[in-house]
Amino acid sequence: MKDFVLYCKSYARDFLRLKRLLETINQFNADRLDFYISTPKADKNLLEKSLGKNGYIWVADEDIVAANPYADLEKYKAMHGGLSQQIIKSEFWRLRFSENYLCLDSDSLFIRNFYKSDFISSDGVPYTVLHQNKELFQLATDRGYEKFARDLRLEAERVKALFDRKGPNFYYAPAPFIWSAKVWQSLASGYLEPKGISLWDLIGPDYPETLIYGETLQRYRAIPLIAIEPLFRTYHYDWQYFLMRRLGETEAKVAQNYLGIIYQSAWEAEFNLGQSQKSLPSQFLKRVKRFGRYLQSFI
């Protein structure tokens, strides 16, 4: 078993984004860390057609599901893709490829060289992204997006309450996430199994995997908590991207503080593989609204 690998759970619509991520990993992966990609078995041929067969190790989502004796394959198949994706990512550790892994999203890309030491200490302790999100909350408030900040705060309160923790809200995102198998194992043995449930019963729209991992670490301390700030510059919304560009932010400047960038797939539609399911009027309206947000960045 290795001590650290890279991992991305993806699906067909995101394969153009995933191809871009793979290209940046091939370019900047200075320590040649293994890169695993998981998809449904049905997507394997399209994955190889889109990315080729080199530079990654493919794993079937179904094998990750099967690694959990309490998981239900039929429940996985019936679950909404966005939700099942959270659980698959959180269960990757069960395949025992590595003690720790960097969990990447398809819409990520590296922008400079990275090393194992960026993610794990010299004595083998993985770092933990942990912060209070104040900069993003302030920016959202300044630009009139208070609901975004309010929803994130309520989400953190709900997950914190699961573990009976009092005190400030912490956030363990955005991606990529540095995750330890020991932390996920402590969730299984300390919380899930005593209640007779699995992760498939716990993670949901109100209880995201990122907060569950962080609160599990806070509760059971399966590893020492060595906090770091986010690894990637994340543009959560197009308005945020337009505003940062307006203020002079460039990829070269971002590389001084971050290993990579995330352009959220929700507003980067040109990287969706296949035809859009939305009507032409709906697509046009979306473009008009985006242009309006672009203009707002100048105010």
Side-chain angles (χ1 to χ4, degrees):
M1 183 187 298
K2 295 183 179 293
D3 59 353
F4 199 83
V5 298
L6 313 176
Y7 165 65
C8 180
K9 188 273 180 277
S10 192
Y11 66 110
R13 192 182 182 193
D14 266 353
F15 284 173
L16 292 181
R17 296 182 179 89
L18 183 60
K19 181 179 180 181
R20 179 180 61 180
L21 170 61
L22 177 61
E23 289 170 350
T24 66
I25 289 176
N26 289 337
Q27 180 180 358
F28 296 116
N29 186 6
D31 284 340
R32 313 317 302 170
L33 299 169
D34 286 346
F35 179 36
Y36 288 83
I37 294 174
S38 77
T39 70
K41 288 181 179 178
D43 289 350
K44 183 184 180 184
N45 288 339
L46 181 58
L47 175 75
E48 293 179 347
K49 181 179 179 180
S50 302
L51 275 69
K53 299 182 179 181
N54 299 319
Y56 64 92
I57 303 165
W58 177 79
V59 177
D61 288 348
E62 291 85 349
D63 290 342
I64 297 176
V65 177
N68 184 341
Y70 300 100
D72 185 335
L73 186 60
E74 294 307 312
K75 186 174 182 178
Y76 154 70
K77 292 179 179 178
M79 190 173 286
H80 182 272
L83 184 57
S84 65
Q85 179 170 272
Q86 292 185 45
I87 301 172
I88 290 292
K89 292 190 296 186
S90 306
E91 294 274 68
F92 174 74
W93 66 273
R94 291 185 180 274
L95 295 180
R96 300 294 181 183
F97 293 131
S98 180
E99 296 176 3
N100 312 285
Y101 58 104
L102 184 72
C103 187
L104 292 145
D105 286 340
S106 300
D107 50 10
S108 309
L109 65 149
F110 286 93
I111 57 175
R112 64 177 171 89
N113 282 349
F114 63 91
Y115 306 84
K116 184 169 71 173
S117 59
D118 290 311
F119 316 113
I120 189 170
S121 71
S122 58
D123 55 355
V125 178
Y127 302 130
T128 301
V129 171
L130 185 150
H131 56 99
Q132 291 189 271
N133 238 0
K134 290 183 178 180
E135 179 188 2
L136 182 59
F137 287 163
Q138 187 63 54
L139 181 61
T141 299
D142 292 345
R143 305 305 296 181
Y145 294 96
E146 289 91 347
K147 183 179 183 301
F148 162 73
R150 182 171 63 252
D151 289 348
L152 283 182
R153 289 190 177 100
L154 290 173
E155 195 174 68
E157 290 286 351
R158 286 193 298 269
V159 178
K160 190 171 64 176
L162 287 178
F163 296 90
D164 298 318
R165 186 176 70 80
K166 307 297 182 182
N169 292 336
F170 292 113
Y171 299 87
Y172 313 90
F177 317 111
I178 305 172
W179 282 345
S180 164
K182 292 179 180 178
V183 174
W184 287 122
Q185 179 63 67
S186 71
L187 174 67
S189 59
Y191 187 92
L192 299 175
E193 292 169 10
K195 294 179 181 295
I197 62 175
S198 74
L199 197 63
W200 297 82
D201 303 304
L202 179 61
I203 289 179
D206 292 332
Y207 302 100
E209 83 285 13
T210 58
L211 290 171
I212 290 208
Y213 177 91
E215 292 301 324
T216 297
L217 174 54
Q218 296 264 20
R219 174 67 180 270
Y220 299 110
R221 300 286 172 158
I223 60 172
L225 201 167
I226 307 175
I228 61 170
E229 293 189 60
L231 296 160
F232 279 31
R233 179 55 149 165
T234 302
Y235 300 113
H236 299 270
Y237 295 99
D238 52 4
W239 61 261
Q240 182 192 7
Y241 171 75
F242 295 143
L243 180 60
M244 293 299 100
R245 295 287 290 186
R246 170 66 175 162
L247 295 175
E249 189 160 289
T250 65
E251 186 173 299
K253 292 178 181 177
V254 170
Q256 296 178 33
N257 293 293
Y258 296 93
L259 297 177
I261 292 176
I262 295 176
Y263 299 101
Q264 288 287 355
S265 57
W267 57 272
E268 200 184 32
E270 64 271 20
F271 277 92
N272 290 341
L273 185 61
Q275 294 183 338
S276 173
Q277 301 300 309
K278 294 186 177 181
S279 66
L280 289 177
S282 177
Q283 293 179 53
F284 176 75
L285 180 60
K286 185 175 182 180
R287 292 191 183 100
V288 170
K289 289 181 177 178
R290 178 176 295 179
F291 183 67
R293 290 191 289 270
Y294 168 73
L295 293 178
Q296 186 185 31
S297 70
F298 289 86
I299 300 174

